[in-house]
């Protein structure tokens, strides 16, 4: 009988392995980690006027989110070429999922997969900044208050700003209404774009609806805790802390063609009919894109 041989997998094999980091690679990672700790302990890092901390974001917060993005949700992105590499722009997306995980995944997508590694400066509701720890970390990752003043300042400084006009109505809606957009408010995001002349980038996100399917709302608990809703899902609160683990749904994020606002001029922000029409146009574009993504996705979990 011929002697058995062990044949190593080649890089092009279906089950090719990933080589373990070399000793030099580990040394570099350890050195980088020690340098990061030194900067944090000595205060040798900078934050902007909104509290954004690029050093902490790049070396701690984004690395914590990447496994969720690539391994757990297996996010696929489309239309990144529609997001400008430089200059201000307003990314407008649908909101869902009980917890605002969709905003974090969009942040990772634009930083890691856009050729220019764009940072998405999110606009958050007042409640976000009232929560202990969550409010601080939100500031650190670049989130600021969802008001026109802050949005216009960021856009004027040529930042990429992200807004979710559905707010709590979107992330707190019942599972039976999944992928149906809620009202987009009064169009404040449109007036901010008109006053600063930046393009609006419609963004459709599919996958977030399934991570915490909201089958009920404990309104008494929500009122006692001062929350807009208190979700009841198939796993929470039944399984306690284990119920906070999101289900591994399959995600698709699509960035649509930019909608021009510069041609209207800043004064157009005072035209309520134009603001209404543009708001409706953005909403309908996102809703149509969501339907297209749902047709592309084979299953909610693969």
């Amino acid at each position: 009988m011929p002697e058995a041989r062990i044949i190593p997998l080649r890089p092009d094999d279906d089950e090719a392995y990933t080589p373990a980091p070399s000793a030099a690679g580990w040394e570099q990672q350890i050195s980088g980690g020690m340098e990061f700790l030194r900067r944090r302990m000595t205060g040798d890092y900078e934050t902007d006027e909104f509290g954004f901390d690029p050093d902490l974001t790049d070396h701690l917060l984004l690395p914590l989110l990447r496994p969720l993005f690539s391994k757990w949700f297996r996010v696929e992105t489309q239309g990144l070429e529609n997001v400008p590499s430089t200059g201000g722009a307003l990314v407008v997306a649908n909101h869902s999922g009980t917890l605002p995980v969709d905003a974090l995944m969009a942040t990772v997508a634009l930083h890691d997969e856009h050729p220019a590694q764009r940072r998405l400066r999110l606009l958050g509701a007042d409640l976000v900044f009232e929560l202990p720890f969550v409010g601080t970390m939100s500031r650190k990752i670049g989130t600021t208050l969802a008001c026109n003043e802050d949005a216009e300042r960021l856009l004027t400084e040529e930042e990429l700003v992200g807004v979710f006009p559905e707010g709590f109505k979107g992330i707190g809606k019942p599972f039976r209404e999944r992928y149906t957009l809620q009202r987009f408010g009064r169009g404040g995001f449109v007036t901010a774009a008109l006053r600063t002349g930046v393009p609006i980038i419609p963004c459709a996100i599919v996958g977030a609806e399934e991570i915490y399917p909201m089958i009920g709302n404990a309104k008494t608990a929500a009122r006692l805790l001062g929350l807009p809703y208190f979700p009841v899902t198939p796993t929470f609160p039944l399984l306690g802390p284990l119920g906070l683990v999101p289900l591994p749904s399959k995600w698709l994020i699509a960035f649509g063609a930019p909608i021009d606002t510069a041609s209207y001029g800043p004064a157009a922000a005072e035209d309520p009919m134009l603001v209404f029409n543009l708001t409706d146009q953005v909403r309908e574009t996102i809703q149509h894109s969501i339907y297209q993504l749902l047709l592309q996705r084979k299953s909610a979990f693969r």
Side-chain angles (χ1 to χ4, degrees):
M1 180 179 294
E3 182 180 356
R5 293 185 301 159
I6 298 176
I7 302 176
L9 290 170
R10 300 188 307 275
D12 56 350
D13 286 336
D14 290 339
E15 297 181 0
Y17 65 93
T18 301
S22 64
W26 281 114
E27 290 176 1
Q28 186 176 13
Q29 290 184 28
I30 293 172
S31 175
M34 295 299 293
E35 177 61 20
F36 171 71
L37 289 175
R38 183 199 65 79
R39 291 195 301 271
R40 305 313 297 184
M41 294 178 67
T42 60
D44 186 19
Y45 59 91
E46 295 182 355
T47 61
D48 70 6
E49 59 184 313
F50 298 97
F52 174 47
D53 187 337
D55 184 56
L56 187 71
T57 297
D58 291 346
H59 294 93
L60 180 61
L61 301 180
L62 285 176
L64 288 174
L65 293 172
R66 285 184 181 118
L68 275 178
F69 182 89
S70 61
K71 304 297 184 183
W72 195 250
F73 298 136
R74 308 170 310 284
V75 181
E76 294 181 18
T77 57
Q78 303 175 13
L80 284 168
E81 69 278 4
N82 291 318
V83 181
S85 297
T86 59
L90 187 65
V91 176
V92 183
N94 58 302
H95 214 11
S96 63
T98 304
L99 294 178
V101 180
D102 49 7
L104 299 176
M105 293 301 102
T107 299
V108 177
L110 287 163
H111 182 272
D112 287 6
E113 302 202 349
H114 193 281
Q117 294 189 310
R118 301 262 0 218
R119 297 188 185 277
L120 185 63
R121 304 298 298 273
L122 299 167
L123 302 180
D126 295 4
L127 178 62
V128 172
F129 304 103
E130 295 171 1
L131 297 173
F133 182 73
V134 173
T136 301
M137 288 300 102
S138 296
R139 287 284 187 189
K140 295 291 186 182
I141 205 171
T143 306
T144 190
L145 194 62
C147 65
N148 273 34
E149 291 77 9
D150 283 3
E152 290 172 24
R153 286 169 64 189
L154 286 168
L155 292 170
T156 301
E157 294 170 5
E158 302 189 339
E159 298 281 1
L160 188 64
V161 176
V163 62
F164 296 79
E166 294 173 280
F168 291 121
K169 300 188 300 295
I171 58 174
K173 67 178 178 290
F175 187 64
R176 65 178 179 274
E177 297 178 14
R178 59 193 178 278
Y179 298 119
T180 300
L181 293 184
Q182 306 298 299
R183 194 171 66 87
F184 267 25
R186 299 178 181 177
F189 68 92
V190 170
T191 61
L194 287 168
R195 288 193 181 110
T196 54
V198 304
I200 297 173
I201 315 294
C203 174
I205 302 175
V206 161
E209 296 278 18
E210 292 87 11
I211 62 173
Y212 300 113
M214 188 167 161
I215 58 176
N217 179 13
K219 295 182 178 180
T220 301
R223 187 168 57 253
L224 291 173
L225 294 171
L227 300 174
Y229 56 88
F230 187 90
V232 177
T233 76
T235 59
F236 181 84
L238 180 63
L239 299 183
L242 188 60
L244 296 176
V245 177
L247 297 178
S249 58
K250 172 63 181 177
W251 284 46
L252 301 173
I253 300 179
F255 299 93
I259 297 174
D260 173 68
T261 65
S263 59
Y264 295 104
E270 308 305 322
D271 182 346
M273 185 55 66
L274 175 63
V275 171
F276 174 82
N277 288 337
L278 284 175
T279 301
D280 193 54
Q281 179 186 350
V282 174
R283 185 181 182 279
E284 290 301 314
T285 300
I286 295 172
Q287 184 69 81
H288 180 67
S289 184
I290 287 173
Y291 291 149
Q292 289 183 316
L293 293 179
L294 288 171
L295 291 173
Q296 293 176 28
R297 192 175 64 161
K298 296 178 181 178
S299 165
F301 295 98
R302 65 180 176 88

